[in-house]
Amino acid sequence: MSDPFFHPVSGFDLPRFAGVPTFMRLPHVGPEHPRFAEVDVGIVGVPWDSGTTNRPGPRHGPRQLRDASTMIRAQHQVTGQRPFETVNCADLGDVGPNPADIKDSMARITAFYDTLVAADIRPLTAGGDHLTSLPVLRALARSGPLGMIHFDSHTDLFHSYFGGTMYTHGTPFRRAVEEGLLDPKRVIQIGIRGTMYDAEDRDFAKAEGIRIVEIEEFFDRGSPDVMQEARDIVGDAPTYVSYDIDFVDPTFAPGTGTPEVGGPNSYEALRVCRGLAGVNIVGADLVEVSPPFDQAGATAFLGVSIMFELLCSMLAQPA
Amino acid sequence: MSDPFFHPVSGFDLPRFAGVPTFMRLPHVGPEHPRFAEVDVGIVGVPWDSGTTNRPGPRHGPRQLRDASTMIRAQHQVTGQRPFETVNCADLGDVGPNPADIKDSMARITAFYDTLVAADIRPLTAGGDHLTSLPVLRALARSGPLGMIHFDSHTDLFHSYFGGTMYTHGTPFRRAVEEGLLDPKRVIQIGIRGTMYDAEDRDFAKAEGIRIVEIEEFFDRGSPDVMQEARDIVGDAPTYVSYDIDFVDPTFAPGTGTPEVGGPNSYEALRVCRGLAGVNIVGADLVEVSPPFDQAGATAFLGVSIMFELLCSMLAQPA
Amino acid sequence: MSDPFFHPVSGFDLPRFAGVPTFMRLPHVGPEHPRFAEVDVGIVGVPWDSGTTNRPGPRHGPRQLRDASTMIRAQHQVTGQRPFETVNCADLGDVGPNPADIKDSMARITAFYDTLVAADIRPLTAGGDHLTSLPVLRALARSGPLGMIHFDSHTDLFHSYFGGTMYTHGTPFRRAVEEGLLDPKRVIQIGIRGTMYDAEDRDFAKAEGIRIVEIEEFFDRGSPDVMQEARDIVGDAPTYVSYDIDFVDPTFAPGTGTPEVGGPNSYEALRVCRGLAGVNIVGADLVEVSPPFDQAGATAFLGVSIMFELLCSMLAQPA
Amino acid sequence: MSDPFFHPVSGFDLPRFAGVPTFMRLPHVGPEHPRFAEVDVGIVGVPWDSGTTNRPGPRHGPRQLRDASTMIRAQHQVTGQRPFETVNCADLGDVGPNPADIKDSMARITAFYDTLVAADIRPLTAGGDHLTSLPVLRALARSGPLGMIHFDSHTDLFHSYFGGTMYTHGTPFRRAVEEGLLDPKRVIQIGIRGTMYDAEDRDFAKAEGIRIVEIEEFFDRGSPDVMQEARDIVGDAPTYVSYDIDFVDPTFAPGTGTPEVGGPNSYEALRVCRGLAGVNIVGADLVEVSPPFDQAGATAFLGVSIMFELLCSMLAQPA
Amino acid sequence: MSDPFFHPVSGFDLPRFAGVPTFMRLPHVGPEHPRFAEVDVGIVGVPWDSGTTNRPGPRHGPRQLRDASTMIRAQHQVTGQRPFETVNCADLGDVGPNPADIKDSMARITAFYDTLVAADIRPLTAGGDHLTSLPVLRALARSGPLGMIHFDSHTDLFHSYFGGTMYTHGTPFRRAVEEGLLDPKRVIQIGIRGTMYDAEDRDFAKAEGIRIVEIEEFFDRGSPDVMQEARDIVGDAPTYVSYDIDFVDPTFAPGTGTPEVGGPNSYEALRVCRGLAGVNIVGADLVEVSPPFDQAGATAFLGVSIMFELLCSMLAQPA
Amino acid sequence: MSDPFFHPVSGFDLPRFAGVPTFMRLPHVGPEHPRFAEVDVGIVGVPWDSGTTNRPGPRHGPRQLRDASTMIRAQHQVTGQRPFETVNCADLGDVGPNPADIKDSMARITAFYDTLVAADIRPLTAGGDHLTSLPVLRALARSGPLGMIHFDSHTDLFHSYFGGTMYTHGTPFRRAVEEGLLDPKRVIQIGIRGTMYDAEDRDFAKAEGIRIVEIEEFFDRGSPDVMQEARDIVGDAPTYVSYDIDFVDPTFAPGTGTPEVGGPNSYEALRVCRGLAGVNIVGADLVEVSPPFDQAGATAFLGVSIMFELLCSMLAQPA
């Protein structure tokens, strides 16, 4: 049972458009706050897009996600979970990046997550572009390589861009495997699609044992069957969940930098999260929400709906 | 056979972007018009959103729905119905609300619909927020409680908001049951979803015998099966149809105040209406279209497509 | 000299798109906060638009103004003032309105401002529609009627709307004069324009001695001359400043409910505030920012630029 | 004094967002209406853009102008005129064009205006692209060539486009002079600017005696001085007023097909109309409002504000 | 194997937002270019919408499609095809229409495509409204009537509009059958839906033997089964493919002039193209992309994704 | 007299919405093109925003500026200049940046401009954020420090950001002075405004002798007087012109990352360029156009109008 200090304000008491917008109307409890140590699950913004090779904007993601998140209520419709009453949840604020220095930013991010690990806080991250996952994993995987369930339209397994640039949003999981942060045998990537430069990333996946479920297979088999396989692949060991909003069809999530048409709809976007129940999740992220390309804010609302699903999955009992 | 006075102008004669925009290009026949008494089905705008607890805007709904409705043609693609040639249809104009006084507005609305009932005109209403249905039902249910088929993502069955406020767009059907306007045993709500404050509304529904079909059940069973159950529940007795545009997934209908992701697509949005054929419909409404949140006008066009389907359902022969 | 606790975060340290968005990146210090009593100037949001007779939306104003306000830096370009280092400024949060009950909302607002008066905190309010000023004045004028400098395209001096509705955003200052909250001889309204229903409001102003500067006179005489007259009219006694964003031409401030073309540009919008230096300001507001009609957010950024000017004027030395 | 049948509904009685949108909330009185012959000034829509060589869309102008026009009230702020109480004004509906046949459309338009001339109704036209003025002039100039005061950023005096195409929105006044509909010595064009193909149009103007006031001269001399010259040029004889919305700077009027930056602001846009008082106006138009390029609808509201000014000018007493 | 001159620039070398935007980053090789004769498949823009009876804008289609096409990469995800390395592809530029003369424009278009036929270049056309297909077919069918697989929500088989206008975007295939350009027995139309004026087009189709698959049948049978029938109908003989973007549901493709709700999603939009493999395609088009109604550009990106699929289908081996 | 190969296509021959969009419809002549050496003035895109500390997007600037530039015609309205017939102008394409490596990008840019200097081509640059000017100046100032006339709302003279980051869009001219690329005594900055972090940049300017004209002085003195001073300051020696679009008021140029309200309108935006006539301009740039924040594209059209003015200024005869 959580402490009432960590309960969000209800929309029945304060209209949902009112108040300083924190994630899901939770208290803002930064590392300097006296009750920081009591937090169980911390929601963190990483407003950063220096790894973006195409259309920019995810640096504005956490701000807009906070705004949209005031629409989230207290109870999960299907499972009946009331996560904010289960454990102490809080908005931990943003990690301040350096927009003009990639390596400095990565160091700042890893340092922040090291603090969370030290305080035994599980992070739910709002990116930021997908390079964000790399410095987060550097902190979370200090005890050994993690498994990963990865929703995306891209593998993000490329070697480099533009003649040797190693750190972009297209390369984080190549680096994570090379650095021993992920156990490739316990990694599954779901929803992959779109025109391809070439098959270099698929070749790497095949060589390392990463399982790729392309969108055609996803639609043919259906979400429950694919998620069963995902749970089997990661097993009981510690696992990271990385959810790129471009997994979803861009009509449902237009606010992203590298959209690929032909993806899942919003119902499927939520349903895959429900298939995570029972996984041993040490951290999760939602990345690549880019408000400048989301004129009506719809992507952010879908994004926080996914974040609420991820939060509930993190708190679900083992299967 | 309808009187040619009540036929809409064809887009083959006058381009669809031309002319004063009335609903479906029908003649504007207000209560003071000499041919008012000849109307069989009247389309009414209720530009009102004083019951809105979240994002406002449905006061602008009827205006934008009229604009989009000039795209509607004369014949139903599947059934072949030509409703405007079947009975006398007309645009009855708007009920003028008082934007700064909820109770005065409700009195004005009920008075207007009392006039329609007296003239034996069946109303098809373009809201307005969902509180609109309450004053309409007060007029239509004067001969006894009605059944209702209700498409929505919310039950709108809450007791009150903000410490005791009884009239909001989240409470109309709670009030309608309490006031004896609806027979709860003949009410079905379809498409319910989204994060929940708590289960107070579900508890009320269960206690009163209202049938709730959540979105997961809707998708699992499919529209035809659910609509068969809906027809069984309401039977042959007089029935109201209330269609909240937020039943539809917000990607297809972004212009609404309290969207919930993970809903039906536009094809399903139309198809459920076709499942109404044979129901004894005494009135219908489409509510919660909010143009300020619908930058491209897509919601209004879907909305009037639904209104055309509702109109055809109102004129379909009993099964 | 202010306490460093009350200093905003610099954009040189944390990028301006990062962090939980409070007004001008000040600390969030609600009435329950331990340091509330130390606040000198408090910025308050009133997310409320129940008095709106036309296009709605100002309920979303404070949220968007907070977002845009993270673009504001520490120093005034012309005067060199550094207001956050002069006195203790803070974001006091929002007054929670009841969107479905006007009188309850007014009571809540007055109660909140009574608390500020008791704590000797001068308020700078972010509305909300213009009816907001009335419950604020009820708290601020407890010691006697105030003078007022009012920037607007409308007089907001009408008697009533829709057959006797007394509380709308077109009537607040009629009520305030009637209730003895304003001394009409010390009231000046600047920028009035637009087509008129009739001259009822002008007749009231003339009878009471309220000075109206229509836009043609404003442009003919120029801002400095008009503002000199404004200062002369209010004199040294306590004065309220009310700034309706629709004072500005709607091209510069599209996000508002009742725009009137032919108004001042953004430079003039700022310059009039500079003419307030030396006035004995007991409170100020910026109202009628309506995000749903401000697709690109430009109105909010202009709005917070005006708020910063108002803040500097509140802290300027007497002439 | 006008007949009350022709009075618009007041926003104090029916909110301005309510009701079927006719021009300025006037009654819709088409040629077939029993009271058509009583109309003095008729507002006509011509939803047509077949003459457009660049970005299309003015076919949607009348619809959006009607919508925005419900914001117009009854009295002119400066002159105090109450035009709807002075003469019988009405919305005459739209002339139905043939979007795929330019010459057929021109014939339909001229035929419609011949009807107005026969009924002694002075037209105020809402276009449509600028080619609209040509078929209108063909009806209005049957008694002899007219003078013209023309606000625009382009002269529309070109000979032809695309290798000999004679009827486009860049050629109407070349044709009108050639056909003897305009007396070039009594024509003045105000606000001309933008990069030029060549000087062919200027050469034609010079040869015929048409007066061109380029934007630099307009700003240097000021509106009152230029309008005095305009009145002198047209004198007391019958005069047409043609107002292309692209006269105004595109920031204030983005919804148009061929914008030219560096133009007048909205205040100047209105003020030039006031300089028309005393001119013998036989008809006026506002053209080139293109809603697809006016996402926020601002152009339409400025457009109808100009139309209200033009209407008042048409009813002003001779100087 | 194609010549490297005809290879597009890779996004790994030049970021995809950089460079002069040609179709799919191919070289711009107009008819006057020295290597024109080496082209195998030419992508052509036809920026023209003079046949549009409703909302305009497709004249802006090719420009926006070129912009979005720089997001397309080199390899097909499912088939592995690398079309640009298979044959010589190029951007042939736009056919310049005459926006104010329909017949002149049709002559210009046919003349351009005659040049392609003479040079043995297969065209992939980016429209333009659907009337574009008619002058293209006049060139491509010089050797005899073609078969056609046609994706659309409308049949475009009407006799005429507005009292006898024969050339509009609603009539091209009626004309094409009349002119002997299409063999109606080898024509299939897929996805037809929406309210109907009447059944005149269906009657014509039935009389001539054209196969219409309405959307209900499409969804009931599924794409693979329908496409098998399509391949059977056209057989091995030369076939044209015409893809109207309004085949797709307007939520996925809002930028079009005559949307019809209830259509296929983006995944199905791509999948039907894959069903074209093995067809003897002599030319293909994608038409009715209207940027003014596509504020976020999503339609164009879906459009070029479809064009890439069409291109791959044109190069697939016979079944 | 220029070679006809370098003449743009006229909108009288090919509609302005047609064709592959190059800058001002000039031929695309990259460094590898056989006629590269004949170019006199080259327009270059630098799609790059890695120096941006706030809202991103200028990487998309050149693409959108090319699109809008097809609206530019051949002749200057005031001066009568026909620049494309005076010297050989061409679109030189884009310099390909490395979005994830600032220093690599700067090296690529300088290398490209070195090529231009070697070929005696004067560059007119379309940015990109303002850091772009630094690597350009490194090439152009190889023969000695340049003077500079700089239009902006910010000085861009800061020492560093985020604890020591030296290369951002707020520091280029600090670096340029330190590197000896600019002679600070021959630098003038015009239009400076907005809230300030502190006065560090002003202190640097004062110490080095850079002249700052704040916006208040600009409006008080007027454009002609300020531009006379600018010409006096730079004298006859080689001078660079740098034009940040945020010099213009954000209502006229919303598409930029760090807007400051209260700036010049579009007429003044053009007029200052005309005051450059007679200056010895070795290169010019227009920077900080950010399409993601310019939903309607208005900024780009103003931007290319400024670029045309800059081009004419570059070709004007010495005073």
Side-chain angles (χ1 to χ4, degrees), chain B residues 151-176:
Chain B
F151 304 101
D152 205 330
S153 62
H154 312 95
T155 64
D156 295 352
L157 288 175
F158 284 95
H159 176 269
S160 60
Y161 278 63
F162 310 120
T165 297
M166 306 299 279
Y167 298 108
T168 78
H169 67 160
T171 66
F173 301 120
R174 181 76 160 253
R175 290 297 90 74

Side-chain angles (χ1 to χ4, degrees), chain B residues 11-12 15-17 71-75 77-78 82 251-252 266-267 270 274 295 301-302 305 308, chain E residues 53-54 158 161-162 192-198 214 216 219 249 251-252 258-262 295:
Chain B
F12 273 160
R16 295 195 272 172
F17 46 78
M71 301 282 273
I72 297 296
R73 304 182 192 86
Q75 181 169 327
Q77 175 200 356
V78 175
R82 298 180 67 84
T251 294
F252 296 82
S266 61
Y267 183 70
L270 301 181
R274 296 170 190 170
Q295 297 180 8
F301 181 56
L302 178 59
S305 298
F308 183 79
Chain E
T53 61
N54 199 347
F158 285 94
Y161 278 62
F162 310 119
I192 307 305
R193 66 183 182 275
T195 59
M196 298 161 62
Y197 289 122
D198 53 35
E214 297 200 340
E216 288 77 17
F219 283 141
D249 188 90
T251 294
F252 296 82
T258 310
E260 304 294 347
V261 299
Q295 297 179 7

Side-chain angles (χ1 to χ4, degrees), chain B residues 55-271:
Chain B
R55 306 190 308 179
R59 68 179 70 183
H60 297 291
R63 178 73 57 86
Q64 200 192 40
L65 287 163
R66 276 193 178 89
D67 187 354
S69 78
T70 64
M71 301 282 273
I72 297 296
R73 304 182 192 86
Q75 181 169 327
H76 191 285
Q77 175 200 356
V78 175
T79 66
Q81 285 175 283
R82 298 180 67 84
F84 309 119
E85 299 173 9
T86 307
V87 299
N88 290 344
C89 300
D91 179 336
L92 305 186
D94 283 358
V95 185
N98 182 339
D101 190 325
I102 285 184
K103 292 195 179 169
D104 182 25
S105 295
M106 288 200 288
R108 292 175 187 217
I109 295 166
T110 300
F112 188 92
Y113 282 79
D114 279 338
T115 306
L116 304 194
V117 170
D120 205 24
I121 298 173
R122 277 196 294 168
L124 173 57
T125 301
D129 70 33
H130 222 147
L131 184 53
T132 300
S133 304
L134 180 62
V136 171
L137 285 170
R138 285 174 177 169
L140 298 190
R142 292 210 185 278
S143 310
L146 303 171
M148 181 171 71
I149 299 176
H150 175 200
F151 304 101
D152 205 330
S153 62
H154 312 95
T155 64
D156 295 352
L157 288 175
F158 284 95
H159 176 269
S160 60
Y161 278 63
F162 310 120
T165 297
M166 306 299 279
Y167 298 108
T168 78
H169 67 160
T171 66
F173 301 120
R174 181 76 160 253
R175 290 297 90 74
V177 170
E178 293 168 354
E179 297 181 17
L181 311 176
L182 291 176
D183 171 2
K185 303 288 186 294
R186 292 182 52 239
V187 171
I188 180 169
Q189 300 184 308
I190 301 169
I192 307 305
R193 66 184 182 276
T195 59
M196 299 162 61
Y197 289 122
D198 52 37
E200 186 228 322
D201 57 332
R202 263 73 161 186
D203 293 344
F204 176 81
K206 183 173 292 184
E208 294 287 340
I210 293 172
R211 168 75 168 110
I212 292 178
V213 180
E214 297 202 340
I215 196 66
E216 288 77 15
E217 179 182 352
F218 178 81
F219 282 140
D220 287 347
R221 291 173 55 193
S223 169
D225 190 39
V226 170
M227 291 312 297
Q228 178 60 54
E229 180 185 356
R231 290 192 300 271
D232 292 344
I233 283 177
V234 297
D236 296 334
T239 297
Y240 191 72
V241 176
S242 189
Y243 198 124
D244 187 320
I245 194 72
D246 70 27
F247 167 72
V248 190
D249 188 272
T251 294
F252 296 82
T256 197
T258 311
E260 304 294 349
V261 299
N265 65 20
S266 61
Y267 183 70
E268 292 155 341
L270 301 181
R271 196 160 60 145

Side-chain angles (χ1 to χ4, degrees), chain C residues 27 37 50 68-69 83 105 122 160 254 269 295 297 308:
Chain C
S50 292
S69 78
S105 295
R122 277 195 294 169
S160 60
Q295 297 180 9
F308 183 78

